[in-house]
Structures are given as C-alpha cells and as structure tokens.
Amino acid sequence: LVGEIPQAIGKLSQLRQLGLYGNNLAGKITNSVYQLAHLVYLNLADNKLIGEVNWEEMHHQKKIERLILHNNFLEGSIDFHILAKMTSLLLLVLSNNKFGGYIDQAVGSMPSLEYLYLDNFENARLNFAKCIDVDYEDYSALYNIVYCFDMTI
C-alpha cells in the first residue's frame, strides 16, 4: 500500500484488528483510526508515518491490547497518562521513531502491560532526556522493558 491512511477507515466501526504494517504508508495517522473503539490490535509499523500521535484521541481505544507503531518517523512526547487509561494494553512498541520527552511514573499504573519497547531512540533527533528508576516491585507485570536513551542532551 502506498499513500496515506484513508479517513474512511473510521467508518469500519466494528473493526477489531488493523494491521497495515510493512507498507509505504506516509503522512500523519488519520484521526479516524483513533475513533475505532473496538480495536484490540493496531499495527502501523514499518511505514513512513510522520507527525505526532494524537494521544488525546487514543482514549477511545479502551479495548486495545497490542499497539505497535515502531519503525516510522513519529515524533513528539508520549503521553503515558493516556496510555495508562488503556487498561487492556499488553504490548506497546514505539521503537525507532523520533519521540522525545520523559518516561514518567504513569508507566507504573498500566495494569496489564507486559511488554514495553522504546529502544533505538539514540538514532532519533529527539531522545528521551530522563528515565524513571525502574523499581521492579512497581512493574511486576512487565516481562520485558527495553529502552535506550541519550543522557548527553
């Protein structure tokens, strides 16, 4: 697939899985994707998507279990407070993008999260400037945390 994610995808109101990974999709993630309230799986990895993720609109994704956005050109801060409201989220993969900001304590309030991948940010223009101290008692549900950042900012 080539081009942008069509706005009409939002009309598929009962859609549970959307996998558009490994294509040549470009542009921003259309807001209609965030309106798909029944999604349990969203994979937009390995494309050429740009811009910021509209974390405010992600509150519609209450059922999502797997959110995979790695290997794009997405930027801005990751809103872990919004992600913490996604109580079914098991897998979060945001690696190899241009995200910046902080990994904050809201990560500890993500009850179902088992896998968190934030690695390879060292190649991005913006890097995580600070990371939480990982206290494994607070993150006992996590099987795997992978992150990498540059403290020289």
Side-chain angles (χ1 to χ4, degrees):
L1 298 175
V2 177
E4 296 184 358
I5 300 170
Q7 187 74 20
I9 207 155
K11 294 180 180 179
L12 303 171
S13 61
Q14 298 302 310
L15 193 65
R16 295 182 37 85
Q17 296 188 33
L18 179 59
L20 297 174
Y21 55 92
N23 288 290
N24 250 341
L25 295 173
K28 296 181 178 183
I29 299 172
T30 178
N31 280 340
S32 65
V33 168
Y34 305 120
Q35 304 300 317
L36 297 169
H38 295 286
L39 278 183
V40 294
Y41 172 82
L42 176 61
N43 189 340
L44 301 176
D46 300 315
N47 282 292
K48 297 176 183 171
L49 298 171
I50 61 169
E52 294 188 17
V53 174
N54 189 341
W55 300 110
E56 288 295 321
E57 288 296 315
M58 288 293 266
H59 75 275
H60 295 288
Q61 306 292 332
K62 299 204 185 300
K63 297 179 181 180
I64 198 147
E65 296 174 2
R66 290 170 179 79
L67 177 60
I68 306 164
L69 301 176
H70 70 275
N71 293 335
N72 282 291
F73 300 95
L74 299 169
E75 57 192 10
S77 295
I78 299 169
D79 192 332
F80 288 100
H81 293 281
I82 298 289
L83 290 168
K85 294 177 184 176
M86 298 177 191
T87 56
S88 299
L89 191 61
L90 301 169
L91 171 69
L92 178 60
V93 185
L94 302 175
S95 308
N96 295 320
N97 279 290
K98 295 181 178 183
F99 291 120
Y102 298 93
I103 303 171
D104 67 31
Q105 297 296 335
V107 171
S109 62
M110 299 171 79
S112 300
L113 192 65
E114 295 179 359
Y115 299 94
L116 172 62
Y117 294 93
L118 301 172
D119 50 315
N120 293 324
F121 282 93
E122 71 273 14
N123 296 323
R125 285 183 293 124
L126 299 172
N127 295 291
F128 283 99
K130 177 181 171 185
C131 181
I132 56 172
D133 292 324
V134 177
D135 179 351
Y136 289 102
E137 289 178 18
D138 292 338
Y139 306 100
S140 58
L142 284 171
Y143 291 121
N144 199 354
I145 303 175
V146 179
Y147 56 85
C148 190
F149 58 95
D150 183 356
M151 291 297 289
T152 62
I153 295 176

